[in-house]
Amino acid sequence: MDFETENNRINLLPEHLIDQIKAGEVVERPANVLKELLENSIDAGASEVKITLKENGLDLIAIEDNGNGMYYEELPYAFCRHATSKINSFEDIYKLNTFGFRGEALASISSVSRISCHSAPQDDLEQGGKLIIHGAQTVEHAYYKPSKSGTSLYVKDLFYNTPVRLKFVKSKISEKNALKRIINAFLISYPHVKFFVTWDDKDREIYPPFSMEEKAKRITNVIGPKKTPINLMEANNSYLNNSIRCFVSKESSKGNAGKHHYLFVNNRLFTDKKIHQIIIRNMEKYWNFGETGHYIIELTVPEHEIDVNVHPNKTLIKFLKANEVFSLISASIKKLISENQRDDFDIENSPTMEFG
């Protein structure tokens, strides 16, 4: 084989092309972008987050928060590949108490969109900055003094320079449901944060903050239909160094449409088919045959006993002691069912009072 021909020479790819290729791992759809940006806001300690979406995120994804903010000179580093404030060594990956750590998200997003970032630190607003990037190319970097600290990030024209990616964007309904799922996940995990959500030209949705003890109220506001509020069963349990908080609906219905199924570990949203099956199999004893309801499972596991570095989108988790986690979930669901079946029995058999 002749490697000296013009067409077969091995060349180093330019940085912007590397970013666009890697973006395929992190930015598969608008919901991935939204997730990464919301994680940054939470990591920055924001207590208020404003979300604006247009055309299901393809035209605009805007996140405005009141978090710690960044200095003018830090802004370019935030959009460099493998630049992060979250870890300093490989071992830190297994001691994470933040979302981000790979330092890939903003670089990937900025390579396939037109992005504008305004940010200022809490301790010195005059040291704030503005950075505009189009397709991985910096257009403007300047000092910027806002009226308050925090970060405002606007992602416009997603995939404008990689039109082939648009072919893989799913239907409007599918993309909107994916965006809603990400928003709901953060609403549920962070009840103490006030969220504002605006879809296209519709009225802004406001989610006031609740204490962690009142999380069931936030969950009901998020997943419960307005006309017929859902009834949630709640249970807490622990085993060794692991703990769990379960919220499961009493109501059930056939099919999966409109069902809210959320798994969290240390406030991080993840998916796991085996855990899903454990929950469904145990809840068959309570829900009507062939029906399912809503569930939210929140696990707290020591950081060094989970691996979140399985995939760039960070939604796949490996548990060091998986059997302990699975057993805790199963036992907790059984406990929840037992307690609520007993309560339901007491209500049905309670004496009635007659007045006359």
Side-chain angles (χ1 to χ4, degrees):
M1 185 178 294
D2 184 9
F3 285 95
E4 295 303 317
T5 62
E6 187 68 28
N7 292 331
N8 290 326
R9 289 210 173 162
I10 299 174
N11 299 304
L12 289 174
L13 295 174
E15 287 295 318
H16 74 278
L17 182 54
I18 294 173
D19 287 335
Q20 290 175 352
I21 292 171
K22 290 187 70 64
E25 297 178 331
V26 181
V27 189
E28 296 175 356
R29 60 197 308 187
N32 299 129
V33 176
L34 179 63
K35 174 179 173 290
E36 296 290 346
L37 300 186
L38 286 174
E39 287 179 349
N40 285 344
S41 292
I42 296 300
D43 281 345
S47 60
E48 283 192 9
V49 179
K50 298 177 182 178
I51 305 169
T52 304
L53 299 160
K54 291 187 178 180
E55 286 298 314
N56 296 320
L58 291 175
D59 283 1
L60 174 68
I61 300 175
I63 303 294
E64 302 167 88
D65 68 48
N66 64 345
N68 295 328
M70 293 175 283
Y71 291 90
Y72 161 83
E73 62 269 15
E74 289 180 320
L75 276 177
Y77 296 121
F79 292 87
C80 290
R81 279 189 298 120
H82 309 308
T84 180
S85 61
K86 313 300 171 55
I87 62 174
N88 293 306
S89 67
F90 183 77
E91 288 72 22
D92 291 342
I93 295 176
Y94 298 95
K95 297 182 289 185
L96 286 172
N97 55 14
T98 61
F99 285 110
F101 63 91
R102 298 176 68 99
E104 290 181 324
L106 290 180
S108 296
I109 295 167
S110 65
S111 71
V112 292
S113 68
R114 307 181 202 274
I115 197 166
S116 175
C117 180
H118 304 72
S119 191
Q122 291 180 340
D123 56 353
D124 191 351
L125 293 180
E126 297 206 1
Q127 293 301 310
K130 174 175 67 173
L131 184 66
I132 299 175
I133 301 174
H134 291 175
Q137 303 299 317
T138 300
V139 175
E140 181 182 358
H141 181 212
Y143 280 97
Y144 173 77
K145 181 184 177 182
S147 58
K148 57 183 179 180
S149 64
T151 300
S152 297
L153 221 156
Y154 308 92
V155 179
K156 301 178 181 179
D157 304 326
L158 188 61
F159 303 134
Y160 82 98
N161 57 348
T162 53
V164 68
R165 291 275 176 82
L166 291 173
K167 296 179 181 179
F168 294 94
V169 173
K170 298 181 181 180
S171 68
K172 289 184 177 181
I173 294 176
S174 178
E175 293 300 333
K176 188 166 188 176
N177 286 340
L179 289 165
K180 283 183 175 180
R181 177 173 172 79
I182 295 300
I183 292 172
N184 288 346
F186 281 89
L187 289 173
I188 292 168
S189 283
Y190 297 92
H192 59 283
V193 177
K194 185 175 184 179
F195 285 92
F196 304 82
V197 183
T198 305
W199 296 87
D200 297 308
D201 297 324
K202 294 182 180 179
D203 293 337
R204 173 179 285 180
E205 302 168 8
I206 301 175
Y207 295 88
F210 289 96
S211 67
M212 295 301 287
E213 292 73 23
E214 297 177 304
K215 178 172 278 195
K217 292 182 180 179
R218 169 64 75 84
I219 293 173
T220 302
N221 287 351
V222 172
I223 71 174
K226 295 180 180 179
K227 294 183 179 179
T228 55
I230 61 172
N231 294 298
L232 285 178
M233 301 180 286
E234 181 179 351
N236 296 278
N237 206 356
S238 62
Y239 178 71
L240 298 177
N241 294 320
N242 306 317
S243 62
I244 186 173
R245 192 176 186 186
C246 310
F247 298 91
V248 183
S249 67
K250 288 187 175 184
E251 297 83 2
S252 62
S253 60
K254 292 184 177 180
N256 290 317
K259 299 296 171 59
H260 295 275
H261 297 156
Y262 292 94
L263 299 174
F264 300 94
V265 58
N266 300 348
N267 285 334
R268 185 186 296 275
L269 179 69
F270 74 104
T271 58
D272 191 299
K273 291 182 179 179
K274 186 167 184 177
I275 292 178
H276 173 75
Q277 290 301 320
I278 290 173
I279 297 165
I280 298 301
R281 190 166 57 249
N282 280 283
M283 285 304 300
E284 286 176 350
K285 302 169 185 174
Y286 190 94
W287 288 332
N288 294 328
F289 178 76
E291 296 184 354
T292 59
H294 310 293
Y295 70 72
I296 293 97
I297 305 296
E298 298 180 326
L299 294 163
T300 302
V301 178
E303 288 88 353
H304 64 276
E305 292 185 5
I306 60 172
D307 184 358
V308 300
N309 193 31
V310 179
H311 189 275
N313 64 26
K314 303 188 291 289
T315 57
L316 300 177
I317 303 289
K318 283 186 178 179
F319 293 96
L320 179 63
K321 301 177 181 177
N323 289 336
E324 287 184 7
V325 174
F326 297 156
S327 297
L328 175 61
I329 294 170
S330 182
S332 301
I333 296 295
K334 290 176 181 176
K335 174 185 176 184
L336 180 145
I337 293 172
S338 175
E339 291 176 349
N340 283 275
Q341 283 179 334
R342 185 169 59 250
D343 290 344
D344 292 344
F345 178 82
D346 292 341
I347 292 172
E348 290 175 3
N349 292 276
S350 60
T352 59
M353 298 181 67
E354 296 183 2
F355 297 88

